[in-house]
Amino acid sequence: MVQLLTFGTVFVLFFFASPLQSKAAAPDVGKGEYLLIAAGCIGCHTTKENFKKGALMSGGRALNTPFSIFNSPNITPDPTHGIGRWTEANFIEALRNGKSPKGEHYLPVFPYTSFSQMTNEDMRHLWAYMKTVPAIQTQNKPHEALLIFRLRFSLGPWKMINFKARTFVPQKNKGAQWNRGAYLVNALSHCGECHTPRNLMGGLKDGFHLSGTKGGPDSDTVPNITPHTTGISDWSDDDLDTLFTLGMLPDGDFVGGGMAEVVESTDRMTQEDREAIMIYLKSTPAIASNTK
Ligand code: HEC
Ligand code: HEC
């Protein structure tokens, strides 16, 4: 009897669940984990100390920008200190439009300016994974209060000028690999957030995509990665792959600063994804460096 009942339940569940599933693919936790790694969410949301303890994404990492030092928030599923009470829609709104569940604007030090281009499907995979990580009760550290309030008020106009919420649209005249590369570079791995120079307001400068800047995070000089002679025109695929897997430059030095953290993402990507990034980088407009 019990067996019959179980069989009946499974059958009924299967019967009702299958047509629903064929309409919208169910979020996939494994895909979400891969996206989280590619997007570098862990690095920015974890302090070095907590990283060692395995308290991933518990926040408190200090991020140095030309405006101020900002502390990243706890994004674990803790209901009090993290985002445990959020819905999937809250999460998508944060990534797509840079807005909190209360309707406040986020600072662009959280690179929603790039993540905005992620597909809805990928945001849902990501959310499915985020819900599975251990909840950690670490209280958020405030940013420097006075400045932050001034900035949040001015963020509405800032976003109107410097930000447009949009989902990545593949270019029909380009191949699948190129489009995958464009998606990785511009939406997920947000390479331009460091490699593209900023205007006086801190928005990414039009027409200078990936051409390098003196004013990177932590006041780093970030090199030109377009196929220009002042960029990476003489880098072979092997050179790029060595950087993306080992963090080593053609002269044998290892990259430091923010790029060392990026390598922790690229070295965990699939070989196809690294190749897609290379194909895209080599086809972007060659722009002269403005870091000298
Ligand atoms: C460059 C560093 C950086 C990266 C990379 C980054 N974040 Fe953040 N994130 C921040 C900062 C700083 C804030 C706080 C912004 C503010 O106070 O306006 C933030 C805020 C958030 C919030 C809002 C939390 C809250 O309590 O309101 C969420 C959710 C979030 N990030 C998720 C992610 C996810 C998911 C990823 C990867 C796809 C990611 N972040 C990658 C720095 C980063
Ligand atoms: C957090 C900031 C940051 C992000 C994000 C970032 N980079 Fe970098 N990148 C740097 C810095 C800083 C250097 C210089 C590091 C050094 O030489 O020690 C660098 C160096 C490089 C170089 C070597 C160029 C040369 O001439 O030496 C390449 C290629 C590169 N990055 C590609 C990428 C790609 C592709 C992405 C996205 C997947 C990316 N970077 C994302 C900061 C960043």
Side-chain angles (χ1 to χ4, degrees):
M1 180 64 198
V2 172
Q3 256 175 352
L4 251 183
L5 200 70
T6 317
F7 178 76
T9 316
V10 169
F11 178 77
V12 167
L13 277 179
F14 179 76
F15 187 78
F16 283 105
S18 54
L20 278 178
Q21 272 173 1
S22 61
K23 268 190 207 143
D28 180 323
V29 172
K31 281 188 184 156
E33 182 179 17
Y34 185 83
L35 293 163
L36 187 97
I37 291 165
C41 317
I42 300 171
C44 258
H45 282 275
T46 315
T47 61
K48 285 221 167 73
E49 255 186 356
N50 282 337
F51 195 86
K52 281 186 213 134
K53 287 188 215 153
L56 303 184
M57 294 190 279
S58 53
R61 160 94 191 259
L63 300 159
N64 231 329
T65 76
F67 299 102
S68 180
I69 295 174
F70 298 108
N71 297 308
S72 63
N74 181 339
I75 54 167
T76 71
D78 187 77
T80 312
H81 304 297
I83 57 172
R85 292 207 175 98
W86 283 32
T87 61
E88 182 187 79
N90 290 152
F91 182 71
I92 292 179
E93 178 70 1
L95 292 184
R96 177 92 60 224
N97 294 316
K99 269 198 188 164
S100 78
K102 285 188 202 147
E104 280 180 332
H105 296 296
Y106 286 122
L107 294 151
V109 57
F110 166 28
Y112 62 83
T113 36
S114 295
F115 299 149
S116 175
Q117 293 194 51
M118 282 171 66
T119 60
N120 241 44
E121 211 183 3
D122 278 356
M123 289 187 186
R124 295 182 64 223
H125 294 316
L126 201 48
W127 178 240
Y129 178 71
M130 303 268 301
K131 285 190 298 186
T132 68
V133 305
I136 294 158
Q137 295 182 322
T138 306
Q139 198 163 352
N140 282 336
K141 278 193 210 157
H143 305 306
E144 281 158 44
L146 264 179
L147 185 63
I148 183 85
F149 284 127
R150 283 212 303 274
L151 281 170
R152 280 209 206 276
F153 280 124
S154 52
L155 276 171
W158 184 93
K159 279 166 99 179
M160 275 171 75
I161 300 167
N162 295 294
F163 169 68
K164 200 163 180 285
R166 63 193 190 285
T167 311
F168 178 80
V169 182
Q171 287 195 22
K172 289 207 182 82
N173 58 344
K174 306 277 191 187
Q177 257 190 322
W178 185 94
N179 276 305
R180 177 68 182 165
Y183 184 69
L184 285 163
V185 167
N186 297 320
L188 272 184
S189 305
H190 59 276
C191 316
E193 298 282 343
C194 293
H195 283 277
T196 302
R198 291 178 186 272
N199 60 31
L200 288 176
M201 282 185 294
L204 297 179
K205 244 182 173 173
D206 278 342
F208 290 90
H209 188 49
L210 303 178
S211 64
T213 172
K214 271 186 186 163
D218 290 325
S219 317
D220 272 345
T221 294
V222 190
N224 182 346
I225 55 167
T226 73
H228 189 267
T229 49
T230 57
I232 56 165
S233 63
D234 58 352
W235 284 51
S236 67
D237 283 357
D238 274 352
D239 291 340
L240 282 171
D241 200 53
T242 305
L243 171 63
F244 295 152
T245 50
L246 303 174
M248 196 168 82
L249 293 163
D251 65 8
D253 263 358
F254 285 87
V255 282
M259 193 60 202
E261 275 179 41
V262 172
V263 171
E264 284 167 26
S265 297
T266 52
D267 78 338
R268 292 171 73 187
M269 285 182 188
T270 60
Q271 189 61 29
E272 291 93 75
D273 273 355
R274 275 192 296 271
E275 276 163 20
I277 291 180
M278 295 180 213
I279 285 172
Y280 173 75
L281 284 183
K282 293 196 157 177
S283 77
T284 56
I287 302 167
S289 188
N290 42 61
T291 56
K292 303 239 156 63

